[in-house]
Amino acid sequence: MTIIKSFMAAAIAASLAVPAVAQNAGGTLEKIAASGEIVLGHRESSVPFAYLDENQKPIGYSIDLCHKIVEAVSAELGKEISIKYVPVNPKTRIALMANGTIDLECGSTTNNLTRQEQVEYLPTTFITGTKLLVRKDGGIATIDDLDGKAVALAQGTTNERAVKAAIEEKGLDVKILPVRDHAEGMLSLETDRVDAYSTDHILLFGLISKSKSPDDFAVVGDFLSFDPYALMVRRDDSAFELVGKKALAAVFRSGEINDIYEKWFGPLGVEQTDLLKAAFQLNALPE
């Protein structure tokens, strides 16, 4: 009994001697502490959330929010960390998060329960839904007008499922062109390979803003889905998830989110909705 008590006392003393970060880190934090590097997955053409500037550097609303989390991770670990960027697309983003290739996904990803079987999400950062991007002279105002026409859809997205479900429900004859990402979808519309491209409405406004002929295009139709965006992290990693939640809560609580939002959405003329303001307020948790 004395030996057992001595062993337990030694174990407790040893655990108390370990720095708090090392005890609570685990998972992603431990990985980052060991390597001195955090890996951010980013989109390449999801304007204004995450896209490449003229120097091929990732920028955008989600990138700025991710940088706030990187600062919080650095403070939590008590050391400077470097950032490695890895491009992701709708087909690869969840797999690359689930297999540990990326630590934090900075894009335009919808949080839903099916995806939470593989990954986890931080608090909502934007709220949007599926609409159609068309040429103004194409005669398309709603999804019903796609009958006998073609639409491009990015594979592996909630938009793909929403549009296909609406087409089936309405019994429309629509040709589907699968595309890799938003840039390819926009190109297929600009080159008249399709009559419409469909994704979240805010991304469609971003694509128009970057087009060579923005006056030729319009976002039309009713919302075909409800899509709350959130930054993606790994499942079963509460320590890293908490750091991310704290970082975003501080941004929401201080009102800094308004400046970051205006920086990226102001030029597009897209104001915060009451629903989004409520999401920010609900997630501005106290310390």
Side-chain angles (χ1 to χ4, degrees), residues 21-22 24-40 69-70 73-74 76-77 79 81 96-105 120 232-244:
V21 169
N24 300 322
T28 305
L29 286 177
E30 188 175 63
K31 172 179 177 286
I32 296 169
S35 66
E37 175 183 82
I38 185 170
V39 184
L40 304 186
I69 295 172
V70 172
V73 171
S74 178
E76 177 76 11
L77 297 177
K79 63 185 293 186
I81 56 175
L96 292 177
M97 176 60 70
N99 69 17
T101 300
I102 60 175
D103 301 317
L104 179 64
E105 190 250 358
E120 189 52 83
M232 191 164 55
V233 295
R234 274 190 280 282
R235 279 194 67 185
D236 303 321
D237 194 343
S238 59
F240 184 71
E241 185 181 342
L242 181 58
V243 173

Side-chain angles (χ1 to χ4, degrees), residues 103-116:
D103 301 317
L104 179 64
E105 190 250 358
C106 317
S108 50
T109 299
T110 299
N111 180 358
N112 63 35
L113 296 175
T114 300
R115 289 174 173 174
Q116 286 187 30

Side-chain angles (χ1 to χ4, degrees), residues 173-190:
D173 177 22
V174 181
K175 179 182 177 182
I176 305 294
L177 175 66
V179 295
R180 176 178 174 273
D181 56 21
H182 304 311
E184 187 178 338
M186 184 63 178
L187 180 62
S188 67
L189 179 60
E190 290 175 322

Side-chain angles (χ1 to χ4, degrees), residues 15-253:
S15 67
L16 292 174
V18 178
V21 169
Q23 286 190 71
N24 300 322
T28 305
L29 286 177
E30 188 175 63
K31 172 179 177 286
I32 296 169
S35 66
E37 175 183 82
I38 185 170
V39 184
L40 304 186
H42 69 91
R43 300 292 291 276
E44 297 180 293
S45 58
S46 288
V47 181
F49 296 89
Y51 61 104
L52 300 177
D53 66 10
E54 61 275 11
N55 297 315
Q56 300 301 294
K57 175 186 175 183
I59 60 171
Y61 175 71
S62 295
I63 298 294
D64 280 1
L65 293 178
C66 279
H67 285 172
K68 291 295 179 181
I69 295 172
V70 172
E71 292 173 8
V73 171
S74 178
E76 177 76 11
L77 297 177
K79 63 185 293 186
E80 291 294 321
I81 56 175
S82 61
I83 297 176
K84 177 181 178 181
Y85 293 101
V86 173
V88 300
N89 61 49
K91 291 189 70 176
T92 64
R93 56 188 170 180
I94 292 177
L96 292 177
M97 176 60 70
N99 69 17
T101 300
I102 60 175
D103 301 317
L104 179 64
E105 190 250 358
C106 317
S108 50
T109 299
T110 299
N111 180 358
N112 63 35
L113 296 175
T114 300
R115 289 174 173 174
Q116 286 187 30
E117 294 175 0
Q118 302 179 70
V119 297
E120 189 52 83
Y121 292 86
L122 297 179
T124 298
T125 54
F126 195 81
I127 299 172
T128 183
T130 305
K131 284 198 173 189
L132 302 175
L133 176 61
V134 300
R135 288 189 176 276
K136 289 181 178 179
D137 59 3
I140 298 173
T142 71
I143 192 167
D144 298 276
D145 298 324
L146 280 180
D147 196 33
K149 301 185 187 310
V151 61
L153 298 172
Q155 295 174 284
T157 61
T158 55
N159 317 104
E160 179 187 33
R161 291 194 294 274
V163 173
K164 286 183 175 179
I167 289 172
E168 182 177 355
E169 179 184 351
K170 294 174 176 292
L172 305 177
D173 177 22
V174 181
K175 179 182 177 182
I176 305 294
L177 175 66
V179 295
R180 176 178 174 273
D181 56 21
H182 304 311
E184 187 178 338
M186 184 63 178
L187 180 62
S188 67
L189 179 60
E190 290 175 322
T191 56
D192 296 320
R193 295 179 62 201
V194 295
D195 303 286
Y197 175 57
S198 181
T199 189
D200 295 329
H201 89 295
I202 186 61
L203 299 179
L204 297 177
F205 284 113
L207 290 172
I208 290 175
S209 72
K210 294 297 181 181
S211 170
K212 295 178 180 179
S213 53
D215 292 338
D216 293 344
F217 302 98
V219 178
V220 301
D222 296 327
F223 280 111
L224 301 176
S225 68
F226 166 69
D227 295 272
Y229 284 0
L231 305 177
M232 191 164 55
V233 295
R234 274 190 280 282
R235 279 194 67 185
D236 303 321
D237 194 343
S238 59
F240 184 71
E241 185 181 342
L242 181 58
V243 173
K245 287 180 177 179
K246 285 182 176 180
L248 291 181
V251 171
F252 298 156
R253 196 168 54 243

